[in-house]
Amino acid sequence: MDNKNISSNELIGVNKAATILEVSSNTVRRLADAGKLRCVKVQETNYRKFYKSDVIDFRNNFYVSEGLNDNNIPSSGGNKNAKMKNISAKSHPAHYLMHKYWGRKPHNVVADYIENYTSPGDVVLDPFMGSGIVPIEACKAKRVGVGVDINPMSKFIAENTVSDVDLEEYKRLANSILDALADECNHLYETTCPSCGNAAHVEIGIWENGEFVRVKGKCKLDGVFVKDVDAKDSKKINQIRALKRKLDKDGSIKYPKDKVLQYVKRSGKESIDELFTDRALIILSNLRDNIFLVENEQMRSLLMFTFTSMLANVSNMLPADLEKATYKSGWVISKFWTPKIHTERNIFHCFKLRVNAIAKGKLELENVDNNYIDLYNTNSNKMQFLENESIDYIFTDPPYGESIAYLALSQFWNSWLDTTVDYDSEIIIDSYRKKDHVDYGERMLATFKEMHRVLKDKRYVSFTFHNRDLNVWKGVMDAVKRAGFILCDINLQEQAVSSGTQGINKMNTLTGDFVYTLFKDNSVKPNLEPVVAPEKSKEYIINIIQSLVEENDGITPSKLYEELIPIIVHTQTYLDEKGNALDIEKILEDRYEYVEVESESKIGDKYQWQQKE
C-alpha cells in the first residue's frame, strides 16, 4: 500500500468505494489486498482510502460495466432506469396456463423490463421465445413483438395464444367433435356400477405394473364410486387390446411411434406411443382425425392446440393414488417418466376441461391486437429476415446448457402434429448427440452475434440465466463479450414458481434466475482479459466465499450466489489453472456445513452455509 499524506477530499472510504462498485466492503478490501485496486492510508487515521477516480476506472475497465459509467449510460426509448431490481413475481394468468411449457418467466417481470427499456411502437425481440411470453407481453404493451424459436411447438403455442377466433364457435365445434367421438368410442369406457349393477363409465383408471387394477367411475343412479377391477373390466381391457391390434393391422388408426430421444428417456419407454394406454391411443387417433376435418384453418389449429394441451393429462405420466383411485400432478420432471402406479384419465372429460380453460385464457386477450406480433420457427443464429439494427430491445431466456431438453420433450406434442424438427441445430449440451460445451458455446456465440447485428446501437439486451456448471456460464458470457456486448447489470430475480431449469442441489436450492442486462455501444470494445490469473482463480473464489460467510455470519444460497456469480462473471474466474471448471459446491461442502433456517423468501433461503466447527 502507498502511505502518503494526501488531502482527504481527494479520497473516499471503503463503504463509498463499495457503493460505486456495487459490491460488499469486504470485496473492496480483498481487491486492495490483491493489488487490483490501489489503496492508500491517511496518516492521521491509518484507515484505507481510495482515489475516487481509481475506483471509477476500475469499475469501468474491469468490474461492472466494462466501458460504461453512470454518466454515459443513455436512456433508451422508455428507459427510466438503466438497472433493475428484483420484482415481486406474480402467478401466471389464465392465458399462460392454456398449454404446458417449461421455464416460463413471470409475465409481470417481463412486462416491467419491456416497459423500462422501450416505448410504445418499439420492436422487441426474443430469439428463444419458448411459449411466447416476451412477444405477447410486448404486443399487450403496444410494442411490436418478434419471437423466434427452433421449436415448432413454440410458434404453435404463441400464435394460438393470440389468435383471434370466435370463442362461441370454438366451443360449439369442440362439443360437436366430442359428440361424434362419443358415438365411436364411448363404449371403451364402459364399466359396471358395484352398487346397482347397471352400466357406468370409467372416469379414472389405475394401472399397476402394466395391469388395470382399480376404477373410479360414475353411475347415473348411484353417482361416483371406486372399486377394484372385476372380471368384466379385465375382459374389456382384453377386448380393447384386440381391437387396437385389428385397427393397427388395417391402418384405421394413426398415432406417433417416433423413437424417444435418449436424453429424456425414462422407465424403458422407447417410443411416444408407449406413453399411452391402448384405449387412449384409439380415442386420441379418432379425436385428431375429427379435428382435421374442420375446414377453418385457424379454428382447426386452436382445436389441435386444445388436443396437445391435454396430452400429458391423458398419458401414463400421471402418478396415481391407488386407494382413492385418483391422480397426482404429472409430468413434473423433464423426462418421459411413467410411474409403476399410474393414472388413465377419461379423454372426453379432459378435453372438455381444456376447452373451458382455453376459452377463459383467450378471453383475457380479446382486446390485444395480434397484428403487433411476428413469430418465426427457425434457428436463432440465422435471423436473416431481420434487418441490421432494426430491434429496439431484446429480452430472452437462452437454453441453460443441459438443464432442459426442449426439443426432445416437445417431441411429445410435435409428433402428434407431424411437424419437422431441426434437432441438429439445437443449442444444448447432450452427450448422446455429441453436443458438448464447445458446441454449446459456439452456437451461443453465433446467436449473440446475430442479436448484436439486429439490435440498434445504444440499446439494451436482458437475458435470464442460471446453471450450476461454470463451464456453461463461461460459454454464455464468452459469447456475450465476443459478440461485442457490454455487461452493465446483474440482478437476481425471483420466480413465480420453481422450475426444472433451476436449483443448485436437492436442498441447496436457488429458485431464481440471474437477469443480465447488456448494452450495445459500437464505440466501446468490451474487455476480454481476465482480472484474476487462472492459477489464482480458485484461491480467489475460496477467499471470496469465506469473506461472504464471515460477514453474514452464515449465508443462504440466494445471498451467496447473488454476491458470488457477478464476481465470477466480472473477474472471469470460471476455470482453474488446468482449465477445469471450479466446483463451487465442492468448495462449500469441504469447508462449511449446511443448516436449516427459518425464511419466507422465494429465492431459496430455507438453508444456509455456516463455518464448520
Side-chain angles (χ1 to χ4, degrees):
M1 298 181 186
D2 297 328
N3 291 287
K4 301 176 182 178
N5 187 6
I6 302 175
S7 174
S8 62
N9 63 6
E10 297 179 326
L11 300 171
I12 60 174
V14 171
N15 291 337
K16 180 64 175 177
T19 299
I20 292 173
L21 292 178
E22 296 185 351
V23 298
S24 67
S25 298
N26 278 356
T27 298
V28 173
R29 297 185 185 99
R30 286 191 296 274
L31 289 170
D33 292 342
K36 300 295 181 183
L37 184 61
R38 185 162 61 132
C39 170
V40 300
K41 287 186 177 180
V42 177
Q43 287 183 351
E44 302 87 63
T45 63
N46 210 34
Y47 289 153
R48 299 178 197 237
K49 295 289 182 178
F50 302 86
Y51 288 110
K52 184 176 181 180
S53 59
D54 283 353
V55 176
I56 292 174
D57 287 345
F58 182 82
R59 181 196 65 179
N60 293 345
N61 293 328
F62 298 106
Y63 205 77
V64 175
S65 55
E66 303 173 308
L68 298 176
N69 59 52
D70 291 338
N71 296 323
N72 66 16
I73 296 179
S75 294
S76 176
N79 179 251
K80 303 176 184 65
N81 300 291
K83 299 182 180 182
M84 301 284 284
K85 301 298 183 182
N86 178 58
I87 300 164
S88 181
K90 296 181 180 179
S91 299
H92 298 306
H95 56 274
Y96 292 132
L97 298 176
M98 294 191 291
H99 202 293
K100 180 180 177 65
Y101 206 77
W102 298 271
R104 276 192 175 100
K105 303 308 166 193
H107 70 286
N108 66 299
V109 173
V110 173
D112 283 0
Y113 270 80
I114 290 172
E115 180 181 359
N116 187 68
Y117 289 106
T118 66
S119 295
D122 280 354
V123 182
V124 179
L125 168 67
D126 184 353
F128 300 103
M129 70 170 162
S131 59
I133 285 184
V134 172
I136 292 171
E137 288 301 316
C139 184
K140 287 161 64 176
K142 307 301 182 185
R143 280 74 166 166
V144 177
V146 180
V148 178
D149 206 292
I150 196 172
N151 188 354
M153 204 62 207
S154 293
K155 182 172 183 286
F156 183 72
I157 291 174
E159 65 187 5
N160 278 289
T161 299
V162 299
S163 64
D164 184 13
V165 299
D166 183 332
L167 292 180
E168 291 304 315
E169 176 64 8
Y170 160 67
K171 288 186 282 187
R172 187 196 68 77
L173 274 172
N175 288 328
S176 176
I177 287 170
L178 285 180
D179 288 343
L181 185 65
D183 293 338
E184 302 173 54
C185 300
N186 220 10
H187 67 95
L188 299 177
Y189 285 120
E190 286 179 356
T191 187
T192 304
C193 176
S195 297
C196 66
N198 290 333
H201 68 265
V202 174
E203 290 193 332
I204 295 173
I206 308 298
W207 294 73
E208 183 175 13
N209 295 319
E211 296 296 324
F212 192 47
V213 295
R214 202 154 166 81
V215 172
K216 181 176 183 178
K218 189 170 184 179
C219 171
K220 291 182 178 180
L221 182 62
D222 294 302
V224 177
F225 60 84
V226 174
K227 68 169 185 175
D228 289 334
V229 165
D230 56 30
K232 287 185 178 180
D233 295 318
S234 296
K235 182 179 179 181
K236 171 64 73 174
I237 293 299
N238 288 332
Q239 290 173 342
I240 290 170
R241 287 170 175 161
L243 174 62
K244 180 177 172 293
R245 287 194 296 268
K246 176 182 179 299
L247 296 172
D248 280 335
K249 186 176 181 179
D250 62 26
S252 299
I253 58 172
K254 294 180 180 179
Y255 50 84
K257 300 177 184 178
D258 307 47
K259 294 296 181 184
V260 171
L261 295 184
Q262 187 66 35
Y263 193 85
V264 295
K265 188 184 295 184
R266 286 286 293 271
S267 310
K269 303 305 180 186
E270 298 292 333
S271 57
I272 295 297
D273 58 302
E274 293 180 21
L275 301 173
F276 300 90
T277 65
D278 287 345
R279 173 161 46 198
L281 288 172
I282 293 171
I283 297 173
L284 288 171
S285 175
N286 279 277
L287 175 56
R288 185 175 66 160
D289 286 347
N290 287 347
I291 292 174
F292 283 167
L293 296 176
V294 174
E295 293 183 0
N296 182 282
E297 182 179 354
Q298 200 169 46
M299 195 68 74
R300 183 171 66 248
S301 180
L302 186 60
L303 288 165
M304 280 306 298
F305 176 77
T306 311
F307 178 93
T308 55
S309 77
M310 171 191 69
L311 284 174
N313 294 330
V314 297
S315 74
N316 297 343
M317 292 189 287
L318 272 67
D321 184 321
L322 187 60
E323 181 180 353
K324 296 179 181 179
T326 189
Y327 57 90
K328 304 175 184 178
S329 296
W331 207 10
V332 293
I333 64 171
S334 54
K335 305 286 182 182
F336 291 141
W337 173 63
T338 56
K340 292 182 179 179
I341 302 177
H342 69 80
T343 306
E344 179 190 11
R345 294 181 65 187
N346 185 299
I347 291 171
F348 292 93
H349 295 172
C350 287
F351 194 79
K352 288 178 182 177
L353 290 173
R354 296 315 305 158
V355 168
N356 292 336
I358 288 168
K360 178 182 177 182
K362 291 192 71 63
L363 196 60
E364 294 179 344
L365 298 174
E366 62 179 349
N367 295 321
V368 173
D369 186 352
N370 60 14
N371 290 313
Y372 284 91
I373 191 166
D374 292 318
L375 306 170
Y376 300 89
N377 171 216
T378 190
N379 191 336
S380 59
N381 57 39
K382 295 179 180 178
M383 297 186 288
Q384 298 94 331
F385 46 87
L386 295 177
E387 296 181 1
N388 294 348
E389 300 197 342
S390 60
I391 300 297
D392 295 289
Y393 176 59
I394 298 173
F395 189 104
T396 194
D397 180 29
Y400 292 7
E402 76 289 354
S403 297
I404 297 287
Y406 292 98
L407 286 187
L409 291 169
S410 294
Q411 182 187 30
F412 184 71
W413 303 309
N414 282 321
S415 60
W416 285 94
L417 296 172
D418 295 328
T419 52
T420 300
V421 181
D422 181 10
Y423 291 102
D424 291 340
S425 298
E426 184 179 17
I427 303 177
I428 190 174
I429 297 172
D430 181 353
S431 59
Y432 296 109
R433 291 190 278 159
K434 298 182 179 179
K435 287 179 169 289
D436 56 14
H437 289 88
V438 174
D439 182 81
Y440 174 82
E442 289 175 349
R443 294 181 187 276
M444 287 297 291
L445 175 59
T447 296
F448 272 97
K449 282 183 174 179
E450 274 290 85
M451 291 162 62
H452 193 273
R453 177 185 68 80
V454 302
L455 186 68
K456 293 177 180 177
D457 194 30
K458 306 296 192 296
R459 294 286 183 151
Y460 291 87
V461 175
S462 300
F463 73 94
T464 61
F465 192 78
H466 186 68
N467 190 296
R468 60 186 177 184
D469 184 350
L470 290 189
N471 272 315
V472 180
W473 286 95
K474 184 177 186 299
V476 173
M477 297 315 299
D478 281 355
V480 165
K481 291 191 173 186
R482 289 170 62 192
F485 286 111
I486 299 162
L487 178 62
C488 61
D489 188 32
I490 303 176
N491 176 48
L492 181 59
Q493 173 60 51
E494 71 181 49
Q495 285 286 69
V497 292
S498 61
S499 74
T501 63
Q502 302 159 327
I504 300 161
N505 61 38
K506 187 174 181 180
M507 292 191 302
N508 185 15
T509 303
L510 180 65
T511 52
D513 286 316
F514 287 97
V515 182
Y516 296 81
T517 296
L518 315 175
F519 187 69
K520 177 180 175 179
D521 187 341
N522 289 328
S523 66
V524 176
K525 185 177 181 179
N527 173 51
L528 299 178
E529 294 299 320
V531 176
V532 179
E535 62 270 17
K536 296 182 179 180
S537 60
K538 184 175 181 180
E539 180 184 0
Y540 178 79
I541 294 303
I542 288 173
N543 290 336
I544 293 287
I545 293 173
Q546 179 63 28
S547 296
L548 291 172
V549 173
E550 288 178 356
E551 70 184 64
N552 290 279
D553 193 24
I555 192 165
T556 59
S558 63
K559 181 67 174 175
L560 172 66
Y561 278 81
E562 186 174 16
E563 295 270 3
L564 183 62
I565 291 301
I567 293 173
I568 291 174
V569 170
H570 288 307
T571 58
Q572 300 179 54
T573 46
Y574 307 100
L575 310 178
D576 60 21
E577 68 277 9
K578 296 180 180 179
N580 298 318
L582 296 180
D583 191 336
I584 303 301
E585 289 183 50
K586 190 173 189 310
I587 291 173
L588 291 167
E589 291 167 358
D590 287 347
R591 291 165 175 78
Y592 310 98
E593 59 183 350
Y594 207 46
V595 180
E596 187 172 3
V597 294
E598 294 184 5
S599 173
E600 297 180 357
S601 171
K602 292 184 180 180
I603 316 182
D605 282 356
K606 302 298 183 185
Y607 296 82
Q608 70 173 210
W609 292 103
Q610 297 181 355
Q611 192 76 48
K612 287 183 177 179
E613 296 181 359

